[in-house]
Amino acid sequence: MSNYTKYDELPLVLDARNVADILGISLSMAYRLFDRDDFPTIRTGMRRKLVSREAFFDWLKHQQR
């Protein structure tokens, strides 16, 4: 996390750039995550995809099993 050191400092809603930053992956890989059926994406408009901070970390926790 380049700009954030604590969970509470993250925005309530994350975009692909935030997710890439948190996971240390490329932006294109983050966009691929947003296209996965099991990823908790929020769609706003035709193209914009977001994820709530809480849903993202819940999803991430379940990926480690």
Side-chain angles (χ1 to χ4, degrees), residues 5-52:
T5 58
K6 298 178 186 172
Y7 175 84
D8 292 337
E9 293 176 350
L10 290 166
L12 291 175
V13 179
L14 307 172
D15 61 16
R17 195 169 304 275
N18 298 130
V19 170
D21 218 25
I22 292 165
L23 295 178
I25 61 175
S26 68
L27 188 55
S28 63
M29 181 61 103
Y31 284 125
R32 284 188 229 146
L33 280 177
F34 276 81
D35 287 334
R36 287 179 50 157
D37 290 336
D38 67 332
F39 194 76
T41 304
I42 301 166
R43 293 183 184 267
T44 59
M46 293 294 290
R47 297 184 53 147
R48 188 156 167 96
K49 297 176 185 176
L50 304 168
V51 61
S52 76

